[in-house]
Amino acid sequence: MNYSKINIITSAFIKPETSILIIYTGGTLGMVHDEKGALIPFDFSSILNHVPSLRQLELNLTVISFEEPIDSSNIGPDDWVKIGQIIFENYNDFHGFVVLHGTDTMAFTASALSFMLENLGKPVIFTGAQLPISSLRSDARENLITALEIASSKSEGRPLVPEVCIYFDYVLLRGNRSKKVQSLHFDAFESENYPTMAESGVVINYNTPAIRQIEGDKPLALHSKFDPRVVILKLYPGITREAVKAILDIEGLRGVVLETFGSGNAPTSAWFIDLIKEAIDKGIIILNVSQCPGGRVIQGRYDTSQQLNELGVIEGADLTLEAAITKLMMVLGEEEDQVQIKKRLIEPICGELTLN
């Protein structure tokens, strides 16, 4: 794996339990303007010049940077595996981890990492920025400082937030419940189906009941197999038979995330039902999630979802699209048996869905 590694001591008074690993994958946060005004990645060895207030945290920071920073639009399963391997290989040497990532697909990567890191007992905090760290009005400095503070926070010797989260614009959200909703404002992420886990103001107020608790001290396990032979089929009024058929007939297709209306509703046209049945009969897994940001699928609540229920479409409850597609990829990467696949998809792994 190609990456560079540097150590940064923010203060002469370092406590051994305050070592944080920063993983820089790319994205706006790590950019500065050169003399011609173009954005280029900055050298993290000079991070204290850009964010001098980091010294007040008294942390021992190590930064691992991807050799070539990746725009988040280009990040995929292979990159998720790289991030997961870095955390897994360095897990025992650090108290917490901060992943710097572009905002566009951050919720996808955070969801994937939450499923990959089984028995996680330390904070993995994703953050980024809407403006480069060198910009006067950049949100990068506050996002980075607070993400590091959360990653290093403990209560009675145990991490306060032992799970994968996104910190952005003063709020901490569960990673696999998050969704990017803004591109022009600082409050880029929301979590409609799960409470905010912490809010940053004069102090950081943690919503302790919303945070997953560590169950025992099981060793960290890494899941690193993903099957990308999946698609997202978003329904819309007027969708044609030809469009649906073209998607479901993709050679080698194994799974479909079906984005339906409201609480899981879909057209009842005979052609649509027939195509769904044909796909399921071929062994394609179809997972139903709502198009509504705060939606929940309840198949059979209305007649327009009853037939999906009868055909064997899997009810995705309140999964986000991001969590649904990454979980489907991982489960298909590890399982061949249809019964086991369906069982794993509807069982919560790390708080990504709420059972009825």
Side-chain angles (χ1 to χ4, degrees), residues 106-115 124 126 163-167 172-180 189-191 194 197 320 322-323 326 350-352:
M106 186 186 293
F108 289 92
T109 304
S111 295
L113 264 290
S114 73
F115 304 136
V124 176
F126 279 76
E163 57 175 293
V164 178
C165 299
I166 290 176
Y167 177 78
L172 183 71
L173 308 173
R174 175 165 288 167
N176 56 37
R177 295 284 195 155
S178 303
K179 181 179 291 291
K180 185 176 180 181
F189 292 89
E190 288 183 359
S191 175
Y194 198 77
M197 301 174 69
T320 63
E322 293 84 349
T326 52
C350 46
E352 74 278 10

Side-chain angles (χ1 to χ4, degrees), residues 12 17 143 151 228 244 253 259 267 284-285 287 294 308 311 327 332:
E17 69 272 18
N143 285 347
V244 175
L253 184 66
E259 269 200 292
I284 296 173
I285 297 293
L287 178 61
L308 299 182
L311 290 173
K327 185 176 183 180
L332 290 176

Side-chain angles (χ1 to χ4, degrees), residues 11 37 41 103 110 211 245 272 332:
S11 168
T103 58
I211 300 171
K245 182 174 173 56
F272 181 80
L332 290 176

Side-chain angles (χ1 to χ4, degrees), residues 176-337:
N176 56 37
R177 295 284 195 155
S178 303
K179 181 179 291 291
K180 185 176 180 181
V181 296
Q182 290 283 356
S183 60
L184 297 176
H185 300 281
F186 288 142
D187 55 342
F189 292 89
E190 288 183 359
S191 175
E192 291 287 349
N193 280 334
Y194 198 77
T196 298
M197 301 174 69
E199 293 188 8
S200 173
V202 177
V203 296
I204 301 175
N205 291 309
Y206 291 93
N207 183 8
T208 304
I211 300 171
R212 295 184 74 232
Q213 301 303 309
I214 303 172
E215 297 179 4
D217 292 312
K218 298 177 182 177
L220 182 70
L222 179 66
H223 297 264
S224 57
K225 293 182 180 179
F226 288 89
D227 191 336
R229 291 176 294 174
V230 300
V231 295
I232 296 167
L233 174 54
K234 187 183 184 76
L235 300 183
Y236 56 89
I239 192 169
T240 65
R241 179 183 185 279
E242 291 73 21
V244 175
K245 182 174 173 56
I247 291 172
L248 297 181
D249 281 349
I250 293 173
E251 185 176 354
L253 184 66
R254 293 192 66 204
V256 177
V257 173
L258 182 66
E259 269 200 292
T260 53
F261 307 119
S263 57
N265 304 312
T268 55
S269 305
W271 66 261
F272 181 80
I273 299 301
D274 288 344
L275 288 176
I276 295 295
K277 182 179 186 303
E278 288 174 15
I280 291 174
D281 288 345
K282 288 190 293 186
I284 296 173
I285 297 293
I286 301 183
L287 178 61
N288 185 0
V289 300
S290 175
Q291 294 181 15
C292 303
R296 180 185 183 91
V297 170
I298 309 173
Q299 285 184 176
R301 183 176 187 180
Y302 296 99
D303 179 61
T304 44
S305 64
Q306 180 60 44
Q307 287 177 291
L308 299 182
N309 214 30
E310 294 170 355
L311 290 173
V313 172
I314 299 168
E315 183 178 297
D318 56 355
L319 280 170
T320 63
L321 172 67
E322 293 84 349
I325 196 71
T326 52
K327 185 176 183 180
L328 182 59
M329 285 186 193
M330 190 192 78
V331 172
L332 290 176
E334 296 184 334
E335 303 286 352
E336 293 289 340
D337 181 72

Side-chain angles (χ1 to χ4, degrees), residues 1-299:
M1 192 184 308
N2 296 323
Y3 56 77
S4 61
K5 187 174 183 178
I6 59 173
N7 294 312
I8 303 166
I9 297 178
T10 62
S11 168
F13 305 100
I14 297 296
K15 303 172 185 177
E17 69 272 18
T18 52
S19 292
I20 303 296
L21 178 61
I22 299 173
I23 303 169
Y24 176 62
T25 67
T28 303
L29 187 146
M31 296 290 182
V32 294
H33 290 96
D34 64 12
E35 62 276 4
K36 296 181 180 179
L39 284 173
I40 59 172
F42 82 90
D43 181 359
F44 273 89
S45 63
S46 64
I47 193 170
L48 295 181
N49 296 330
H50 291 280
V51 195
S53 50
L54 282 177
R55 293 185 174 90
Q56 299 175 37
L57 294 179
E58 298 184 357
L59 296 174
N60 186 349
L61 302 179
T62 298
V63 181
I64 286 179
S65 296
F66 279 24
E67 195 166 271
E68 292 188 11
I70 307 173
D71 187 289
S72 71
S73 296
N74 290 321
I75 280 185
D78 289 345
D79 304 299
W80 303 338
V81 172
K82 289 179 185 177
I83 299 168
Q85 286 177 335
I86 290 172
I87 294 172
F88 183 75
E89 292 168 4
N90 293 275
Y91 188 71
N92 294 326
D93 298 328
F94 295 91
H95 167 263
F97 304 85
V98 170
V99 182
L100 306 183
H101 191 290
T103 58
D104 284 348
T105 62
M106 186 186 293
F108 289 92
T109 304
S111 295
L113 264 290
S114 73
F115 304 136
M116 293 170 64
L117 299 170
E118 184 179 356
N119 302 323
L120 180 67
K122 298 180 181 181
V124 176
I125 311 299
F126 279 76
T127 195
Q130 298 287 62
L131 291 174
I133 201 166
S134 59
S135 296
L136 180 63
R137 297 180 53 253
S138 176
D139 53 335
R141 289 177 286 274
E142 196 285 323
N143 285 347
L144 176 59
I145 289 169
T146 306
L148 288 167
E149 187 173 355
I150 292 169
S152 62
S153 294
K154 287 187 174 184
S155 176
E156 299 179 353
R158 300 180 73 85
L160 275 175
V161 189
E163 57 175 293
V164 178
C165 299
I166 290 176
Y167 177 78
F168 218 90
D169 193 49
Y170 303 102
V171 294
L172 183 71
L173 308 173
R174 175 165 288 167
N176 56 37
R177 295 284 195 155
S178 303
K179 181 179 291 291
K180 185 176 180 181
V181 296
Q182 290 283 356
S183 60
L184 297 176
H185 300 281
F186 288 142
D187 55 342
F189 292 89
E190 288 183 359
S191 175
E192 291 287 349
N193 280 334
Y194 198 77
T196 298
M197 301 174 69
E199 293 188 8
S200 173
V202 177
V203 296
I204 301 175
N205 291 309
Y206 291 93
N207 183 8
T208 304
I211 300 171
R212 295 184 74 232
Q213 301 303 309
I214 303 172
E215 297 179 4
D217 292 312
K218 298 177 182 177
L220 182 70
L222 179 66
H223 297 264
S224 57
K225 293 182 180 179
F226 288 89
D227 191 336
R229 291 176 294 174
V230 300
V231 295
I232 296 167
L233 174 54
K234 187 183 184 76
L235 300 183
Y236 56 89
I239 192 169
T240 65
R241 179 183 185 279
E242 291 73 21
V244 175
K245 182 174 173 56
I247 291 172
L248 297 181
D249 281 349
I250 293 173
E251 185 176 354
L253 184 66
R254 293 192 66 204
V256 177
V257 173
L258 182 66
E259 269 200 292
T260 53
F261 307 119
S263 57
N265 304 312
T268 55
S269 305
W271 66 261
F272 181 80
I273 299 301
D274 288 344
L275 288 176
I276 295 295
K277 182 179 186 303
E278 288 174 15
I280 291 174
D281 288 345
K282 288 190 293 186
I284 296 173
I285 297 293
I286 301 183
L287 178 61
N288 185 0
V289 300
S290 175
Q291 294 181 15
C292 303
R296 180 185 183 91
V297 170
I298 309 173
Q299 285 184 176

